[in-house]
Structure formats: structure tokens, C-alpha cells
Amino acid sequence: MPELEELKEENKRLTQELKQKVFESSILYDISHNISYTLGYDDLLRLMMDSLHKIVDYDVCTSLILPDENKEAKMLMRLAHPVSQATVDEIQTKVIDALAALRGSKIPRQDIAFDIKGEARNDSPDRIKSSFDVPLFVRNRPVGILNVSSIKDIEYSDGDTKLLYTLASQAQLAIERLQAVLLAEKSKMRAMVEGMSEGVVMFDEKDQLIIFSAAAKEMLGYDLLLLGNLQEVKKKPRNMHKLDIPLEKPYPRVIHSEGICIEEEEGRSLGTIFLLRDVTKECEIDQMKSDFVSIVSHELRTPLAAMKGAVDNLMDGVCGELNNTQKECIILTQRNINRLSRLISDLLDISRIEAGKIQLNKQAAAISPIIEEVLYFFKDVALHKNVKLSAVFDEGLHRVDIDPDKITQVVTNLLSNAMKFTPKGGEISIKVSIADGYLKVSIKDTGIGIPHQDLDRVFNKFYQVDHGDINIQRKGTGLGLPICRGIIEKHGGRAWVESELGRGSTFSFTLPVIKE
Ligand code: ADP
């Protein structure tokens, strides 16, 4: 019979060995298939711990990992069977103390992020009957502890301990490989970032500086405070925060910064990144352009006024009676002089707006008389073109603090555009309402519409949408909308457009209301 006993023993041992081998290779398979940039130490341990119960009978499996001083310590716990909260606490303390002793430095509990799966009971404490720790090393440095504990009367065999050591050493190898991959990626990224002419500054999720490229250091002169408040950027993730930073030292220049907070899909912040560009040349050219426009327009105004006077005199017969052909010539000249003077006043307006020199003669005023007046002005054109013109005003409209002339200019411009781009038989309706402390004016037409990609560009200087043949008859200056937006923004409001090609456009603007 002893032979049978021996055979049984041998069989048990072989089965155990086989199970271990299968488990080891399946873990290795999982690890090698999951290794990626996102796989960190804790993912690796989680992977191991979630499968470990298949081979070692435990109640609680715990790991604590602290890859380096700058990283957060992470404790993973898997409760295969319910144990008391006191036991959970006891194991945690034991594991923390073990790693602290191994590293020779304290690990404060509040610095550890816990990930616990399984229920703890709130009744009397149990006694841990068996438990053992396996240290994890990476390049001979202790980085973690893996602990297996049980409250049952099990004696862990040499085989169990050996298996855990084998797994731990495999994990260590995987971690080392992972570190090598990360390091190689990091140095690739660093080389790329350093090779860029733009400056790059990046902070991690805890606002620790992780990238400050040489170009960025040169542009900011090492002064990160120039980037503004990091929290402001984080408040509106996915929104680009643009900022022009004028610098006097070591020589005058302007640095354009674009900051964005990057988030994971679940909304967790991954960090904040800033791209910096020296825009001194662009700013200088812009300034020169504005100065040029402003000077030229002033210079053109005087001779144009003289021409207008002379042509008006001719028309009034001051220089003798004109025949019909001569009159037609004069009318054509007058029309073109008017166009030129409109263009010049638009150019002057836009250069004043851009230089921030636009003056507002503000007063508390109601909006309805302004709109009624502009509608009256367009009455005949609308009748002639068979375009239905209407306006609705919400009840109880507040007064607004505005420069009535400038707002008249805005409404006239928007209505003139609507009229220009709405074919015969169409409709233009104005709606005035109050929303969120703002008065909102919308001018809706049933005209040709604006393609989606041009929606924001129509507010750029000189931008005109390519409407095909229609353009030729309706050629303007491309300055009306930027002037409107400039005037509205100076009032503290906002101007925008919504449109559907072929169906019509709605231009809207808001003005802050006076609290009465
Ligand atoms: P202008 O009308 O003098 O060309 P604007 O700045 O007022 O300049 O308008 C810019 C461009 O926006 C126009 O050329 C036109 O292509 C487009 N646009 C403006 N209003 C409308 C509208 N109501 N419907 C369709 N396109 C419009």
C-alpha cells in the first residue's frame, strides 16, 4: 500500500505543478499581450492578483507599489472571501511597514491610493492564520510588496511560496521591460519636443512641471508665471486658452501662448500643455498695416470731400445747365464717390476698433426705437424687392447702456446684408428678447446662407464668402461684419452667426441690460 500512497502523492504533486505551469504561462501571456504605454505597475499587479486565486487559496491578496519617490504609492487589495475590517486594516499596516522597512523610509498612509475589491465585514476581528510577503525589486531597488493572507487553517506549502516568488520575478522582468519602453519613448518625445521651434511647457495632473523645452525657456526667460493661472486653464478643459504675452526684456517681443488641459475620456485630467510662438513679426506687420490704413484713409478723405462738393455743384446746375447724358455721367460719379467714402469710413472705423480707440457716447436707451427707425429706412427697398420685413419685441424689455448711433450702424449693416443676400419673395425677421441678463437681437433671413466652414471667418477683415456669380452684383468691402463685432464687443456683448446654406442666416448680437 505504501506504493499507492506514494503514487497518490506524486500525482498530487504533478497536478499541482501542471496547474502552476498553466497559470504561469497564462499570466505571462496576459502580461505580454497587455503591455502597452498605458500599462503601469499597478495594472500589471492587478492582472496578476486577479488570477492568483486560481492557484493559491487566499482570503486576502494585497500589493503595495511605490515605483519612485515622485509617484503616488498604490495599494491593491483583493478580498476573495469576506474578512473583518479590522483584519483588512491589520494587513494594510503590515504591508506598509514591510515596504517601509525594505526601503528604509516612511510611507505615510495619506500618500497611498487604495484600490480595494471585495466586501469587508463590520463584526469581530478574525485572526490571520497564515500569511507571507514577497518583495518586488526593479533593478535591485525595492519597489513593492506582494502579500497573501488567510484566516483559514491553511499552511502555505513551499510550492505556493515558490510560485509567488516566480510570479514576482516575472513581474519584475515585465516592469523592467516596461520601464525600458517608457524610457525610450520619453527620450524620443524629448528629442521631438526639443527639435520644435515652438516652445512647449507641460504640467502633469498634479501641476508638476514635466516638460519645459529649451525654446520655451528662451521665450519666457524661465518665468512660468507669464503663462497665467494654470487653474483657469483647467477650469475649462478642451478649451484653448490663447494669450499674447508682451515682453520688454531682454528685448521687446510678443509671445503667443495657447494652453489646453488634456483629459481622459472619463474626464480625468492628464495635465496641461502650452505651446508658445514668437509672434513679434506678425504683430509688427499688423500694426504697420493698421497705421497704413489709418493714414491713407485720412489722406483720401480731404480730396474726396472736394470732389464730392464739385460734383454736387455740377448736378445743382451751378456751372450751367446739363443735358441728360451729362447728368447720367454725374450720377454715376456721385454713386462711386459715395462708395469710396463708405469704404474710407469703414477703413477708419476698423482701424479705430483695432487700435482700441473707438469712442462710445453711451446713454441709457431703449432698443425698439432704433430698430423701428432702421426698418423704416429699409421699407422701400423691401417693398421694391418683395421681401417681407418684420420685427417682434419681447414684453418688458430693459433699457441698455449704448451708443445709439453705433448700434444703429450695426443694425443697419446687418439688415443691409440680409437684404443683399435674400432673393425676391424672401423674408427678414428681427427678434428682440432678454436672456441671462443680456438683450439679444437676432436678424433672420431666408437668403442664400453661408457655408459651415465660413461661419466664423465672415467676421474677419475683408473676408467675403465665395457665393459664385451672386458676388459680382453684391460686392461690398468685407469690413461690415468685423466693424459690427468690434462695436458690440466694445459694448460688452457678443456677435455671431448661425446659417444653413441655401436656407438662410441668422445674425445675432447681445448687449448687457441695465438693472433697473
Ligand atoms: P460685405 O457685405 O461688405 O462684403 P461684411 O463684412 O458685411 O462685408 O460681410 C462679409 C461677407 O459675409 C459677405 O461678403 C457675405 O459673403 C457674407 N454675409 C454677410 N451677411 C450675409 C447674409 N445675411 N447672408 C449670406 N451671406 C452673408
Side-chain angles (χ1 to χ4, degrees):
M1 284 323 256
E3 263 183 32
L4 189 63
E5 278 304 312
E6 268 172 34
L7 270 173
K8 266 190 185 166
E9 263 314 299
E10 183 62 8
N11 193 16
K12 209 171 134 193
R13 196 183 60 76
L14 284 173
T15 317
Q16 180 75 1
E17 215 165 79
L18 189 70
K19 264 167 93 183
Q20 283 190 11
K21 284 276 174 282
V22 170
F23 178 68
E24 281 169 31
S25 39
S26 81
I27 283 271
L28 272 186
Y29 177 85
D30 276 358
I31 291 174
S32 55
H33 275 76
N34 282 295
I35 205 152
S36 69
Y37 302 134
T38 54
L39 184 74
Y41 302 111
D42 41 330
D43 296 308
L44 202 72
L45 280 166
R46 196 172 288 131
L47 212 71
M48 274 174 44
M49 289 165 61
D50 286 345
S51 336
L52 195 64
H53 67 93
K54 289 184 204 153
I55 186 93
V56 180
D57 187 11
Y58 67 75
D59 288 315
V60 185
C61 180
T62 311
S63 70
L64 176 63
I65 187 113
L66 180 52
D68 60 63
E69 298 305 334
N70 301 326
K71 289 246 160 63
E72 189 176 48
K74 195 142 200 184
M75 178 174 278
L76 308 174
M77 275 189 119
R78 297 290 176 265
L79 275 52
H81 309 108
V83 293
S84 71
Q85 186 58 47
T87 307
V88 169
D89 294 344
E90 190 184 334
I91 297 175
Q92 285 179 349
T93 311
K94 186 168 143 17
V95 171
I96 296 169
D97 289 350
L99 184 60
L102 210 60
R103 294 174 70 100
S105 61
K106 272 194 151 239
I107 306 172
R109 206 170 235 275
Q110 66 269 23
D111 291 353
I112 303 175
F114 290 90
D115 169 354
I116 303 175
K117 291 247 160 72
E119 286 286 311
R121 297 186 328 251
N122 263 333
D123 53 11
S124 54
D126 351 72
R127 210 168 65 78
I128 301 168
K129 300 232 174 102
S130 33
S131 165
F132 66 93
D133 290 332
V134 180
L136 300 169
F137 287 86
V138 170
R139 269 184 237 103
N140 299 326
R141 258 177 9 90
V143 295
I145 294 275
L146 184 65
N147 171 281
V148 174
S149 300
S150 182
I151 52 171
K152 289 191 285 285
D153 264 328
I154 356 173
E155 276 227 4
Y156 288 120
S157 67
D158 279 355
D160 293 333
T161 331
K162 216 175 106 214
L163 170 71
L164 225 61
Y165 270 95
T166 316
L167 277 179
S169 75
Q170 277 162 0
Q172 284 154 25
L173 278 178
I175 287 173
E176 278 175 21
R177 250 200 344 246
L178 182 71
Q179 274 197 335
V181 172
L182 291 179
L183 219 68
E185 282 309 311
K186 249 191 198 165
S187 67
K188 249 194 257 169
M189 184 154 110
R190 182 134 299 165
M192 217 170 72
V193 164
E194 290 299 337
M196 284 165 66
S197 57
E198 282 95 351
V200 181
V201 182
M202 191 170 170
F203 298 89
D204 68 7
E205 72 280 10
K206 287 184 183 161
D207 300 345
Q208 299 276 347
L209 180 66
I210 49 171
I211 296 177
F212 195 2
S213 76
K217 283 177 190 153
E218 201 272 326
M219 286 184 205
L220 298 177
Y222 288 85
D223 187 355
L224 284 170
L225 290 178
L226 290 171
L227 293 175
N229 190 346
L230 207 59
Q231 303 315 317
E232 286 297 314
V233 182
K234 288 171 88 174
K235 249 189 232 161
K236 285 192 194 151
R238 298 206 187 104
N239 265 24
M240 189 72 85
H241 290 254
K242 297 184 182 175
L243 183 69
D244 278 337
I245 311 168
L247 295 174
E248 283 306 320
K249 288 179 185 158
Y251 52 92
R253 54 184 169 163
V254 184
I255 305 296
H256 180 73
S257 145
E258 289 184 353
I260 192 159
C261 171
I262 312 157
E263 280 193 336
E264 269 182 336
E265 266 173 30
E266 307 93 63
R268 202 172 65 93
S269 158
L270 288 176
T272 321
I273 186 157
F274 290 86
L275 268 187
L276 307 172
R277 206 158 50 84
D278 189 328
V279 290
T280 317
K281 275 260 157 348
E282 279 107 310
C283 288
E284 275 171 10
I285 291 172
D286 234 39
Q287 185 59 43
M288 275 161 63
K289 234 167 42 187
S290 300
D291 291 350
F292 175 77
V293 165
S294 151
I295 292 165
V296 169
S297 332
H298 267 294
E299 293 304 316
L300 285 176
R301 251 185 164 181
T302 326
L304 201 68
M307 280 160 74
K308 189 171 161 35
V311 171
D312 285 351
N313 281 344
L314 276 176
M315 196 63 186
D316 292 345
V318 176
C319 313
E321 269 308 300
L322 303 179
N323 66 31
N324 281 350
T325 322
Q326 287 165 332
K327 270 189 188 158
E328 271 169 29
C329 282
I330 296 295
I331 289 172
L332 191 71
T333 313
Q334 271 181 326
R335 207 179 290 151
N336 279 294
I337 287 178
N338 286 342
R339 250 189 91 188
L340 253 179
S341 75
R342 263 203 315 275
L343 174 64
I344 292 170
S345 80
D346 277 0
L347 283 171
L348 277 172
D349 274 351
I350 200 81
S351 58
R352 269 190 222 115
I353 286 172
E354 286 187 334
K357 286 188 193 145
I358 175 178
Q359 296 283 344
L360 297 182
N361 294 320
K362 280 202 194 170
Q363 60 189 74
I367 193 84
S368 42
I370 293 179
I371 295 196
E372 301 283 8
E373 188 192 322
V374 181
L375 279 179
Y376 184 78
F377 181 78
F378 278 95
K379 191 170 56 85
D380 290 344
V381 194
L383 205 66
H384 180 71
K385 230 183 142 177
N386 188 24
V387 166
K388 197 174 154 221
L389 209 53
S390 65
V392 283
F393 299 90
D394 265 9
E395 295 267 319
L397 286 179
H398 295 257
R399 288 195 302 167
V400 270
D401 194 18
I402 51 170
D403 179 333
D405 287 346
K406 293 277 187 301
I407 297 301
T408 305
Q409 184 182 349
V410 171
V411 180
T412 307
N413 208 312
L414 296 179
L415 206 58
S416 145
N417 276 350
M419 197 61 86
K420 206 158 57 165
F421 296 104
T422 302
K424 283 194 167 82
E427 199 176 330
I428 300 170
S429 47
I430 304 184
K431 185 171 166 21
V432 188
S433 53
I434 292 280
D436 302 329
Y438 285 85
L439 183 121
K440 180 179 166 200
V441 179
S442 296
I443 299 173
K444 181 175 182 302
D445 65 52
T446 57
I448 57 176
I450 299 168
H452 186 74
Q453 70 272 16
D454 288 314
L455 281 183
D456 211 45
R457 283 190 250 168
V458 293
F459 288 95
N460 291 351
K461 256 185 311 178
F462 304 113
Y463 194 83
Q464 292 180 304
V465 180
D466 184 2
H467 296 291
D469 288 349
I470 303 168
N471 265 57
I472 302 162
Q473 317 147 26
R474 307 173 204 215
K475 200 110 186 105
T477 59
L479 287 172
L481 291 178
I483 292 173
C484 288
R485 184 174 261 182
I487 292 175
I488 294 299
E489 285 179 355
K490 185 78 183 174
H491 277 86
R494 216 162 60 77
W496 71 98
V497 59
E498 289 144 295
S499 182
E500 209 178 315
L501 199 60
R503 308 205 72 168
S505 315
T506 306
F507 281 84
S508 307
F509 65 85
T510 55
L511 293 167
V513 296
I514 302 172
K515 306 255 175 326
E516 281 170 290

